[in-house]
Amino acid sequence: MAEEDDTKIRILQSLRGKICEAKNLGPSSGPNRLRDLCTFCTISLDQEEVYRTKVYEKSVSPFYGEDFYFEIPRPFQCLSFYVYAKSMFQIRDPPVGKVAIRKEDLYKYCGKENWFHLQPVDPNSEVQGKVHLEMKLNELITENGSVCQQLVVQIIACQGLPLISGQNCDPYATVTLVGPARSDQKKTKVKKKTSDPQFEETFHFEVTRSSSYKGRSHFQVEEEDIEKLEIKVELWNNGNLAQDVFLGETRVSVKILRNDHVHKAWYLLQPKGNGTKPKPDDLGSLRLKVTYTEDNVLSSACYTALLNLMLKSPDVKPISASAAHVLGDICRESLGYEALLPVVRLLLHHNRLLPFLTAVAALELENTQEANTIFRGNSLATRCIDDMMKIVGRSYLTVTLKPVLNEIFESNKTCEIDPVKLKEGDNVEINKENLQGYVHKVFTSITQSSSSCPPLMCDVFRSLRQLASKRFPADPHVQYSAVSSFIFLRFFAVAVLSPHTFQLRSHHPDPEISRTLTLISKTIQSLGSWGSLSKNKLSSFKETYMYDFFKLFQEDECIEKVKKFLDEISSNISKESSGVEDSFVLKEGEVHKRAQGRKRIGKKNFKKRWLRVTNQELSYHKQKGKEALCVILVKNILGVEKLEEGAFNRKNMFQVIHSEKPLYVQASNCVETNSWIEVLSQVSRCNPGRLSAFHPSAYVSGFWLCCKEPNENASGCKTCTATVLANIQLDIDCDRESERIFSFFSTNRSRLQKMEDACAGMSVYLGQQEECSAFTIQDPKETFRTIKELGEVLDDLQAHHDLKTALTDEPGTIANPIVGKTA
């Protein structure tokens, strides 16, 4: 019999994509035309904003180009993208329109760019949350002795109601029995400052009994009557002096009680049922790319067999017969090696990545015929190494490029050198000088950064260098081009071109800065490409202006700097650590912080602060760039946990527990809360003295609100959340990565079968069959053995998933609420 832990399942959600561009924004005519207004976009989970682009200049067809990625920490019904017009005079920016996609429809748009028509923003459709109801029929004897039926409706509670103006709402509910000729309404009391109100109020409605009633023991409403009666529950925010705000509704037909005299369930709130809507104006379109991922992660024991199979991949001979290589092979056409990322993360976590990368690189070199094309394509080997660099090289990029990129963004000098693109009044010589200065700073920062290069990257580069020299012994330069094709072309040049993708900047650059970055990136690629560092290669430039510009860098000193840098990051000499770790920013942003309240007399309130986390300290500042008001060393953090909403009647709060009083922080939304907790937990995970228990609420009025303990120094009443024991830059959930690998295999099971058939055919006929050409099969017998083993592991895992699906909560539970209907 399975242990209790084996029944647990984690549902982990993530969202990635891109807000690409808009066109023809605003009404097609009239005074509301947006020709003279700037716009921006937001992303909301239900009604909670979790992402915002920067404001873009005046255009009815702006190009946003902003990538986004975040973990979704809570259930949601609808993902919405809003376009707003930036207003200089109004308190709130007016909405232009929105794109709303229900969660169950997100799969239709997975990974593809789509144009969506903007819909009007109707307050009655902006809803979220769920309501817990109980309905039952009671039989009553009236004063004259007759029997009638009474409908009893209890509204128990709500969860997840939206914030109103950033604060918890003051909700109340109306309960109405609706029929062809009746509408009996009752109302609950108002609950103050909560998004999760507990009502526990019961209402009674008399139901007309059947005219054919003959004193039966169990009263039944006639079929035609019961079909026409329904209970409507509406949630409202009490506006006091202002107008009440609609929060959502649900309707439940009384006929549900025909077979079950007591019905108790959770219902999702829906938009107001207002009949047919008029055809909206054409508000324009928004081009989006959205990929929603939901991982149903089982307990660790379920993944042991698959994990072991993946971890032994580096030892399989030939490497093409390994489970990891097979996965990349069968997913290549549909996903373009996307499935390799969880493999890289798993092998990285278990220190098995270097031998795997060495083996797949050696396989690629076997099929490379010319030294000047080494590692230039999009192959399994190059994709794996790309993924590795993005994972382990984040802090390296931050230390190396972020300061100079910040300077480029803030100074914003004109750098256009293409005569065709010059604007009136531009001086091409001054622009060339500006660009040369930027390139010099970026180039110098890179070539002097070898001491910051992560050890794993150095080990991989050293391996590539040795493999390339062995493959092309007559070419003295190939040992350098094998490394430069990754570190310059696929790492630094890409990060310069798209700094927002590597978290070096928060938003996509505007067109002018983007053009500057493009020119810098092209030059850095050429400077770092060993094949281009000779004068006879200048002819490879298609643009004459780039040819002229690049000649400024054709000096022996420049070539020697590149060579020295490549030697340093790929030599056999191990780098000695100075023992002092460079400080780099992990996360920063605006929050609301509760005053520490160190004085006995003083107002304990919330103020806006700029919170900053590095790998060494947590600090908060009055504003970005200002001196720190308080610094907490990372080594002194004892725990980071969520704070109950009831502590201060605020959502999205967390606490940083350290040697002094807890630091209470409110983030802007649920995604930000999750992100802050994750970063702080990971950076402090190995601290000595970390707490095993904490108080989930605050110490107010002489006692802890959670456990009523009067002693402020009392031990916590709730067990602390366990943190993953992984490097702060390698925060890897092995069970989740294993589940993703299982998902990729399952989706491509038909191609796995074709690969198995190809192996069988090759073994029998000893020839390269046509169906085999789609796969890399060096040893058909070994590959066949791996695929058969994979099949058994996948079947076993599928059985675990089927069992969990069978045990899924019935509709109507808090975890699986019923989708309520509207009129």
Side-chain angles (χ1 to χ4, degrees):
M1 187 173 178
E3 295 289 335
E4 185 179 355
D5 284 347
D6 290 342
T7 65
K8 291 183 178 178
I9 184 168
R10 292 184 294 147
I11 300 178
L12 304 177
Q13 310 168 98
S14 63
L15 188 75
R16 72 170 65 249
K18 189 172 189 176
I19 302 174
C20 304
E21 61 178 317
K23 63 181 179 182
N24 303 324
L25 291 179
S28 55
S29 62
N32 295 323
R33 190 64 169 149
L34 300 179
R35 197 175 305 279
D36 296 327
L37 290 180
C38 303
T39 60
F40 63 93
C41 292
T42 66
I43 303 176
S44 291
L45 296 172
D46 298 322
Q47 294 309 298
E48 183 177 17
E49 182 183 315
V50 295
Y51 180 85
R52 177 177 290 217
T53 70
K54 67 178 184 179
V55 178
Y56 286 81
E57 293 303 318
K58 300 174 182 178
S59 173
V60 294
S61 297
F63 179 80
Y64 298 112
E66 296 222 10
D67 298 286
F68 58 85
Y69 172 81
F70 50 84
E71 297 289 322
I72 300 176
R74 63 168 179 80
F76 72 102
Q77 300 178 52
C78 190
L79 175 70
S80 298
F81 297 82
Y82 292 82
V83 179
Y84 288 92
K86 187 65 179 176
S87 174
M88 299 296 292
F89 308 105
Q90 300 181 37
I91 297 176
R92 294 183 182 178
D93 299 313
V96 178
K98 71 173 182 178
V99 173
I101 309 173
R102 295 197 67 83
K103 178 181 175 180
E104 58 266 26
D105 294 328
L106 282 170
Y107 75 93
K108 299 177 184 177
Y109 311 105
C110 188
K112 300 175 184 177
E113 289 187 2
N114 293 274
W115 280 101
F116 296 87
H117 289 293
L118 291 177
Q119 302 298 317
V121 178
D122 173 16
N124 287 332
S125 69
E126 308 293 288
V127 305
Q128 72 176 60
K130 50 195 170 187
V131 59
H132 196 194
L133 303 175
E134 180 178 297
M135 294 169 51
K136 59 184 177 181
L137 286 171
N138 284 342
E139 190 175 88
L140 298 178
I141 300 177
T142 64
E143 293 180 358
N144 60 11
S146 63
V147 178
C148 72
Q149 195 77 357
Q150 188 181 60
L151 177 64
V152 181
V153 180
Q154 183 183 23
I155 178 164
I156 303 169
C158 288
Q159 268 201 359
L161 297 179
L163 300 178
I164 303 296
S165 300
Q167 300 295 324
N168 282 326
C169 54
D170 295 334
Y172 69 90
T174 61
V175 183
T176 309
L177 178 64
V178 181
R182 62 190 297 180
S183 181
D184 303 334
Q185 185 179 93
K186 303 178 188 294
K187 177 181 172 183
T188 69
K189 295 177 182 177
V190 175
K191 299 295 182 180
K192 294 290 187 180
K193 303 299 179 187
T194 177
S195 295
D196 302 319
Q198 296 288 323
F199 291 108
E200 302 286 354
E201 293 194 40
T202 303
F203 303 101
H204 300 84
F205 299 91
E206 183 178 338
V207 178
T208 305
R209 60 184 174 84
S210 167
S211 59
S212 59
Y213 175 69
K214 302 295 183 182
R216 289 172 293 185
S217 58
H218 294 289
F219 180 87
Q220 288 184 324
V221 179
E222 278 189 343
E223 187 76 19
E224 58 267 27
D225 292 332
I226 204 170
E227 290 286 347
K228 299 173 183 177
L229 292 175
E230 66 180 15
I231 284 293
K232 178 176 72 172
V233 178
E234 292 181 318
L235 271 297
W236 297 84
N237 176 60
N238 182 37
N240 293 320
L241 299 177
Q243 186 177 0
D244 291 356
V245 177
F246 176 76
L247 302 178
E249 71 169 32
T250 191
R251 296 173 181 243
V252 184
S253 176
V254 178
K255 69 181 181 182
I256 201 168
L257 297 173
R258 284 181 304 178
N259 301 318
D260 184 3
H261 286 274
V262 178
H263 174 71
K264 187 176 183 179
W266 282 89
Y267 283 84
L268 286 175
L269 295 174
Q270 298 295 300
K272 183 182 285 290
N274 53 2
T276 58
K277 297 180 181 179
K279 186 178 180 180
D281 289 335
D282 184 3
L283 301 176
S285 302
L286 190 63
R287 183 161 62 92
L288 303 169
K289 183 178 181 181
V290 180
T291 300
Y292 169 73
T293 304
E294 182 176 294
D295 298 315
N296 293 282
V297 184
L298 309 175
S299 61
S300 298
C302 298
Y303 298 108
T304 301
L306 179 61
L307 178 62
N308 291 337
L309 197 55
M310 302 308 294
L311 293 181
K312 77 175 185 180
S313 290
D315 303 323
V316 175
K317 301 287 189 291
I319 192 64
S320 60
S322 68
H325 197 287
V326 167
L327 177 62
D329 229 9
I330 66 171
C331 295
R332 181 175 53 200
E333 290 185 4
S334 59
L335 296 168
Y337 297 119
E338 181 183 327
L340 291 170
L341 179 58
V343 174
V344 170
R345 292 171 68 84
L346 266 187
L347 295 176
L348 183 59
H349 183 81
H350 291 277
N351 296 316
R352 300 287 289 146
L353 184 57
L354 179 61
F356 179 73
L357 294 180
T358 301
V360 294
L363 176 59
E364 176 163 336
L365 284 172
E366 287 180 22
N367 300 316
T368 303
Q369 303 305 317
E370 297 182 14
N372 61 358
T373 63
I374 192 169
F375 298 125
R376 289 302 179 97
N378 184 27
S379 64
L380 186 146
T382 57
R383 178 58 188 264
C384 285
I385 297 173
D386 281 353
D387 287 339
M388 177 275 296
M389 292 192 298
K390 288 175 183 176
I391 296 170
V392 306
R394 177 184 164 193
S395 61
Y396 182 30
L397 284 175
T398 301
V399 170
T400 307
L401 292 182
K402 190 172 177 63
V404 65
L405 286 173
N406 287 343
E407 180 185 341
I408 293 169
F409 274 75
E410 289 160 12
S411 61
N412 194 16
K413 297 177 182 177
T414 304
C415 296
E416 185 55 72
I417 59 174
D418 183 354
V420 178
K421 296 183 178 181
L422 287 174
K423 297 178 181 178
E424 186 177 350
D426 281 353
N427 186 315
V428 70
E429 293 303 318
I430 293 178
N431 291 0
K432 188 181 291 185
E433 187 178 320
N434 292 338
L435 181 60
Q436 185 180 2
Y438 284 154
V439 170
H440 176 74
K441 288 182 178 181
V442 173
F443 179 72
T444 301
S445 184
I446 291 172
T447 53
Q448 293 181 355
S449 69
S450 60
S451 62
S452 300
C453 188
L456 178 60
M457 288 176 64
C458 294
D459 291 340
V460 171
F461 295 150
R462 181 166 61 250
S463 179
L464 294 176
R465 183 172 180 166
Q466 293 169 351
L467 290 170
S469 297
K470 185 178 179 181
R471 176 68 178 87
F472 298 102
D475 190 331
H477 298 307
V478 74
Q479 59 176 316
Y480 295 110
S481 59
V483 178
S484 67
S485 62
F486 284 103
I487 192 67
F488 278 100
L489 272 66
R490 295 175 175 271
F491 189 61
F492 284 122
V494 178
V496 169
L497 187 63
S498 303
H500 56 293
T501 305
F502 292 83
Q503 291 81 52
L504 298 174
R505 296 289 298 185
S506 56
H507 295 294
H508 181 81
D510 62 39
E512 189 168 337
I513 293 179
S514 182
R515 174 62 178 164
T516 298
L517 296 179
T518 299
L519 294 171
I520 296 172
S521 180
K522 291 175 72 170
T523 310
I524 292 297
Q525 285 186 53
S526 298
L527 286 173
S529 176
W530 194 259
S532 297
L533 294 176
S534 57
K535 294 185 179 181
N536 63 347
K537 290 293 183 180
L538 284 172
S539 59
S540 63
F541 282 103
K542 297 178 181 178
E543 308 97 337
T544 304
Y545 65 87
M546 285 302 297
Y547 172 88
D548 293 335
F549 178 69
F550 192 72
K551 282 194 296 185
L552 299 174
F553 298 92
Q554 290 305 300
E555 302 174 357
D556 291 339
E557 180 184 352
C558 182
I559 297 175
E560 286 304 311
K561 284 182 179 179
V562 173
K563 182 179 178 181
K564 180 174 180 292
F565 171 66
L566 296 176
D567 280 336
E568 289 171 346
I569 63 172
S570 61
S571 66
N572 288 316
I573 302 173
S574 298
K575 295 188 302 179
E576 292 187 7
S577 172
S578 64
V580 179
E581 187 179 11
D582 290 332
S583 176
F584 53 90
V585 177
L586 296 169
K587 184 174 176 62
E588 57 182 338
E590 191 174 78
V591 299
H592 281 84
K593 180 199 72 69
R594 186 174 188 261
Q596 294 289 77
R598 292 186 177 89
K599 299 178 181 178
R600 289 189 177 275
I601 301 176
K603 188 178 181 182
K604 297 181 179 180
N605 52 10
F606 286 82
K607 293 183 178 180
K608 282 186 180 180
R609 290 291 182 258
W610 187 263
L611 196 63
R612 191 169 184 262
V613 184
T614 73
N615 55 323
Q616 297 176 357
E617 63 185 31
L618 165 68
S619 59
Y620 60 81
H621 315 246
K622 194 167 186 178
Q623 293 175 338
K624 183 179 181 180
K626 299 290 186 180
E627 289 188 11
L629 299 175
C630 177
V631 175
I632 301 171
L633 296 179
V634 161
K635 64 182 181 181
N636 293 334
I637 295 177
L638 305 178
V640 185
E641 299 289 345
K642 287 186 178 180
L643 196 69
E644 288 180 350
E645 180 183 325
F648 302 108
N649 286 324
R650 287 174 177 247
K651 295 175 74 73
N652 304 319
M653 288 202 65
F654 65 94
Q655 55 181 317
V656 181
I657 309 166
H658 57 111
S659 51
E660 298 184 34
K661 292 192 175 185
L663 176 66
Y664 296 126
V665 180
Q666 182 185 29
S668 57
N669 56 64
C670 64
V671 170
E672 279 294 288
T673 306
N674 197 55
S675 179
W676 281 113
I677 292 174
E678 187 174 316
V679 167
L680 286 164
S681 296
Q682 287 300 316
V683 77
S684 63
R685 76 201 180 284
C686 293
N687 287 350
R690 273 188 68 99
L691 298 178
S692 57
F694 74 105
H695 291 284
S697 196
Y699 185 81
V700 179
S701 302
F703 61 91
W704 289 99
L705 297 177
C706 42
C707 58
K708 310 305 179 185
E709 172 62 48
N711 181 5
E712 188 173 3
N713 298 318
S715 299
C717 56
K718 185 175 180 180
T719 304
C720 284
T721 307
T723 56
V724 181
L725 288 178
N727 183 285
I728 178 62
Q729 298 302 325
L730 312 177
D731 181 15
I732 294 170
D733 182 339
C734 291
D735 293 341
R736 187 178 193 178
E737 304 302 336
S738 298
E739 173 59 29
R740 285 177 174 169
I741 290 171
F742 165 71
S743 177
F744 286 128
F745 269 125
S746 298
T747 304
N748 293 273
R749 197 68 187 265
S750 61
R751 283 187 59 79
L752 187 64
Q753 183 61 53
K754 288 181 180 178
M755 192 174 187
E756 181 181 335
D757 295 341
C759 291
M762 290 178 69
S763 297
V764 172
Y765 297 106
L766 300 178
Q768 185 74 15
Q769 308 298 314
E770 185 176 344
E771 64 270 17
C772 305
S773 59
F775 307 107
T776 305
I777 303 175
Q778 294 174 285
D779 186 332
K781 290 185 178 179
E782 188 65 30
T783 306
F784 183 84
R785 186 180 299 113
T786 298
I787 294 173
K788 294 298 289 184
E789 192 172 355
L790 269 171
E792 295 174 2
V793 170
L794 297 177
D795 289 341
D796 183 59
L797 250 177
Q798 187 60 55
H800 281 290
H801 273 283
D802 292 342
L803 178 62
K804 297 299 181 291
T805 301
L807 296 175
T808 300
D809 290 320
E810 290 293 323
T813 61
I814 191 170
N816 188 24
I818 298 170
V819 178
K821 68 173 186 173
T822 57

